[in-house]
Amino acid sequence: MSVRVRFAPSPTGEPHIGNVRTVVFNWLFARKMGGQFILRIEDTDRVRYRPETIPVIMEGLRWLGLDWDEGPGLEELRHAGVENAEAYAVGGPYGPYIQSERLPLYKQVAEELVAAGWAYRCNCTPERLEEVRQTQRARGQPPMYDRHCRYRPPDAISPDEPHVIRLKVPLTGRTVFQDVIKGEVVFENAGIDDQVLLKSDGFPTYHLAVVVDDHYMKVTHVIRGDDWVPSTPKHVLLYQALGWDLPVFCHVPLVTMPGGKKLAKREGATSITEFRKQGYLAEALLNFLALLGWAPGEGETQEIFRREELIERFDLYRVNRAPAAFSYDKLDWMNGVYIRSLSPDELLERLLPFWQEAGLVPVPCPPPTRAVLRRIVPLIQERIKHLTDVVEMTDFFFVDIAPPSADDMLAQGLDAERAREVLRRTREVLADVPDFSEEAIEPPLRALVEELGLTNRQVFGLIRVATTGKAVSPPLFGTLSILGRERVLARLEAAERQFQP
RNA sequence: GCCCCCAUCGUCUAGCCUGGUUAGGACACGGGCCUUUCAAGCCCGAAACACGGGUUCAAAUCCCGUUGGGGGUACCA
């Protein structure tokens, strides 16, 4: 039987990076096993529901290269109010893939459970429930539903009045399940709450919906975050009540923030959209995420794995049991590695939107500008860790700079008189070179250093500040060449004027 | 509180299952080389088996406990 796994986000916002890592494991496992990866939208929480996040979630997955074999089709996406639904519709033989489109199914299963004595109706008010919990807490007891309605006559609550349906958890015994990375996990039934399966608004809770859908969608491996472990016995009970085969459970450890603390906005990106905006490459993020909690083992020290290599080597059974802290440092390094591995043309394509976003390059990019960009790229390729870094590093190519302060230009220890001389002589030399190519510029400039009896650092440093306005810039000769004679001479002159009394 | 999970350098990890390693790699960090700045690259360095008991000739590896961390405890997922 073919492996079938799923990612089932709740459209209440963008999944945080820990969830995304879990998706990566699901996807990798499906691809590795030649199985199917299913996308299912779990929109059963009507209070927090935000339909506009559905396409955002899908865009994120696509950007990362995590394609799904089955998922919401055209009609369901339109029902959900997704604009441009055609762009996202995939469909599949076990749809619908949006839970709000499957309500009758959940209702039917819940009623079957009631009829079979595995569930019961409950019309306790939220107020009563809260009261019960309060007193339990006060007594130091675990807060659980007190099963008030469980012991009322079956016809005490009419199917027509508002009520919920709860799972009738066995009072004794234990529920056991096997987990791919944890092994056997045991729960005492006495500690398991009579979970609500069907809410009073007719929507199922996660617990009912996930079991029903995973069953009917023929999901073979439930790979999800560790936080679901305590709910799993409820699901197991449901499978048993329904007489359905259990899927293989695999609870992967959670991802924490660098400090080891819970994932939270604040410091750094937490969603795919944010990483994308901050100039990370999809292939770098994928590589990084795959290695967060998983390693090929067997003494392997390689860390850079292309998508195909990840698929080939990924092993669900080797996923680490301990939680992993997200490391922006390591991601940044890896992003740099991927940036450096790109061809200059490819890098240019990736960089273009960031230059445009910053307003440095027009949209669309005119061919002559593109030619200039193509010359800039090799100069900055090994100097950026994020695509966004290019903006600050190259802005002086596109906009006029203010003449640098005298202080900035004297940072290399020259006095004003000397600095003026250097700038003047540089201007003379550069005015004379036959063409403004890097090759034509470098030798006379080096000769000038000799002539003035100064160091490379002193002379080139000054020229750098004068022409780019920065103490740190791409390599000088290439930079000057791209800037062009006219602008270089003008900036040198402006810089020189800074020393006029 | 109760339940569940987890524990190797600061971080990600290899090693653990099938006890015997100078406990390996990477990021970050420190130093050096290269060098027009910054990077990149190369070399070197510092850095870990949480603690306590067992079992054993031998424990990072197996068992128990402690501590610590995380998760769950909703008509959220």
Side-chain angles (χ1 to χ4, degrees):
Chain A
M1 186 176 62
S2 158
V3 160
R4 290 171 63 79
V5 297
R6 82 296 193 277
F7 172 48
S10 171
T12 53
E14 249 197 291
H16 64 66
I17 204 62
N19 280 137
V20 177
R21 197 278 311 258
T22 304
V23 188
V24 168
F25 285 172
N26 269 284
W27 183 85
L28 246 18
F29 183 63
R31 293 294 168 258
K32 161 95 181 185
M33 305 302 286
Q36 285 89 46
F37 175 62
I38 304 163
L39 179 63
R40 182 172 72 219
I41 301 297
E42 308 210 328
D43 59 341
T44 55
D45 182 346
R46 303 319 281 179
V47 178
R48 297 193 303 155
Y49 180 48
R50 283 168 54 202
E52 72 278 11
T53 60
I54 294 177
V56 176
I57 292 168
M58 291 177 163
E59 282 295 347
L61 294 178
R62 275 195 185 157
W63 177 74
L64 250 194
L66 307 179
D67 55 326
W68 53 100
D69 306 298
E70 295 172 28
L74 193 54
E75 281 312 304
E76 6 176 4
L77 286 172
R78 281 188 178 148
H79 273 187
V82 172
E83 283 180 41
N84 195 213
E86 307 71 29
Y88 303 104
V90 169
Y94 302 100
Y97 294 89
I98 296 184
Q99 290 183 329
S100 57
E101 301 284 316
R102 303 166 66 82
L103 263 23
L105 177 59
Y106 308 124
K107 169 95 173 155
Q108 179 198 328
V109 173
E111 291 295 344
E112 280 171 22
L113 253 10
V114 171
W118 276 102
Y120 59 93
R121 299 179 206 284
C122 165
N123 62 357
C124 290
T125 63
E127 292 73 30
R128 198 187 93 78
L129 260 21
E130 185 50 36
E131 217 176 287
V132 170
R133 273 193 288 267
Q134 288 299 336
T135 49
Q136 286 167 331
R137 280 216 183 78
R139 287 184 203 156
Q141 296 169 333
M144 279 172 71
Y145 177 52
D146 64 356
R147 297 180 164 136
H148 174 75
C149 294
R150 178 167 174 159
Y151 302 110
R152 297 170 69 191
D155 56 355
I157 300 168
S158 153
D160 300 323
E161 69 175 289
H163 66 282
V164 302
I165 291 180
R166 288 181 181 273
L167 177 63
K168 198 183 280 182
V169 176
L171 273 8
T172 57
R174 45 183 54 174
T175 297
V176 181
F177 66 91
Q178 298 296 325
D179 187 277
V180 164
I181 49 193
K182 294 184 197 313
E184 187 173 275
V185 183
V186 181
F187 284 85
E188 293 291 337
N189 290 339
I192 303 174
D193 208 355
D194 277 3
Q195 188 58 240
V196 170
L197 301 176
L198 200 67
K199 306 185 236 183
S200 54
D201 64 0
F203 279 76
T205 58
Y206 170 83
H207 309 282
L208 208 221
V210 76
V211 168
V212 170
D213 287 347
D214 283 345
H215 171 71
Y216 284 112
M217 292 180 185
K218 301 194 184 327
V219 167
T220 59
H221 293 69
V222 171
I223 305 169
R224 80 227 304 188
D226 235 358
D227 46 347
W228 288 111
V229 170
S231 302
T232 306
K234 297 169 185 172
H235 305 165
V236 171
L237 253 13
L238 239 19
Y239 276 101
Q240 289 169 349
L242 266 359
W244 294 343
D245 288 338
L246 245 35
V248 176
F249 289 106
C250 178
H251 291 95
V252 304
L254 265 17
V255 175
T256 70
M257 288 303 270
K261 287 299 167 195
K262 190 170 179 171
L263 268 182
K265 290 276 181 188
R266 288 285 179 78
E267 56 237 289
T270 55
S271 71
I272 295 183
T273 303
E274 287 171 319
F275 282 102
R276 184 180 186 173
K277 274 192 190 147
Q278 290 181 13
Y280 290 96
L281 301 185
E283 49 270 62
L285 188 56
L286 181 75
N287 190 158
F288 175 79
L289 254 17
L291 255 34
L292 202 55
W294 171 78
E298 293 171 359
E300 178 62 81
T301 58
Q302 180 181 343
E303 296 203 280
I304 301 299
F305 296 100
R306 294 172 297 111
R307 176 177 309 267
E308 296 309 317
E309 281 179 300
L310 285 174
I311 292 171
E312 184 189 324
R313 324 230 1 205
F314 184 71
D315 181 356
L316 228 210
Y317 289 75
R318 278 192 54 84
V319 170
N320 210 303
R321 327 156 80 83
F326 194 94
S327 167
Y328 290 96
D329 277 338
K330 187 139 189 179
L331 206 215
D332 285 354
W333 164 76
M334 198 171 272
N335 206 49
V337 170
Y338 274 90
I339 284 175
R340 274 171 256 135
S341 76
L342 256 25
S343 73
D345 288 313
E346 178 63 27
L347 182 53
L348 168 50
E349 292 311 314
R350 311 269 192 129
L351 250 17
L352 191 52
F354 289 89
W355 267 316
Q356 293 175 322
E357 176 69 22
L360 297 175
V361 171
V363 186
C365 178
T369 303
R370 180 178 288 268
V372 172
L373 298 179
R374 179 61 183 75
R375 293 182 66 196
I376 294 176
V377 168
L379 259 32
I380 50 89
Q381 181 156 23
E382 62 185 29
R383 293 179 165 72
I384 57 175
K385 277 192 159 65
H386 312 89
L387 297 176
T388 45
D389 295 342
V390 80
V391 172
E392 210 202 312
M393 199 171 286
T394 64
D395 55 1
F396 65 89
F397 281 116
F398 308 101
V399 297
D400 290 335
I401 63 166
S405 71
D407 278 355
D408 286 346
M409 290 192 282
L410 300 180
Q412 296 304 335
L414 295 177
D415 60 38
E417 201 50 43
R418 264 318 230 170
R420 258 180 88 174
E421 185 190 359
V422 170
L423 291 170
R424 183 176 54 78
R425 289 289 295 125
T426 301
R427 205 145 51 79
E428 287 168 10
V429 165
L430 291 180
D432 276 354
V433 292
D435 68 279
F436 223 66
S437 69
E438 197 175 328
E439 297 71 26
I441 291 173
E442 183 167 347
L445 248 23
R446 286 193 184 279
L448 178 63
V449 174
E450 289 282 314
E451 177 198 321
L452 296 169
L454 295 169
T455 64
N456 287 332
R457 190 184 186 90
Q458 290 171 313
V459 175
F460 298 156
L462 176 52
I463 299 175
R464 164 172 295 109
V465 174
T467 55
T468 69
K470 298 173 195 293
V472 172
S473 83
L476 188 61
F477 306 120
T479 298
L480 294 178
S481 175
I482 294 169
L483 238 19
R485 188 182 330 242
E486 195 180 328
R487 278 196 291 177
V488 168
L489 295 184
R491 287 181 186 186
L492 287 170
E493 197 180 343
E496 202 181 325
R497 271 201 297 274
Q498 292 293 93
F499 293 109
Q500 305 291 349

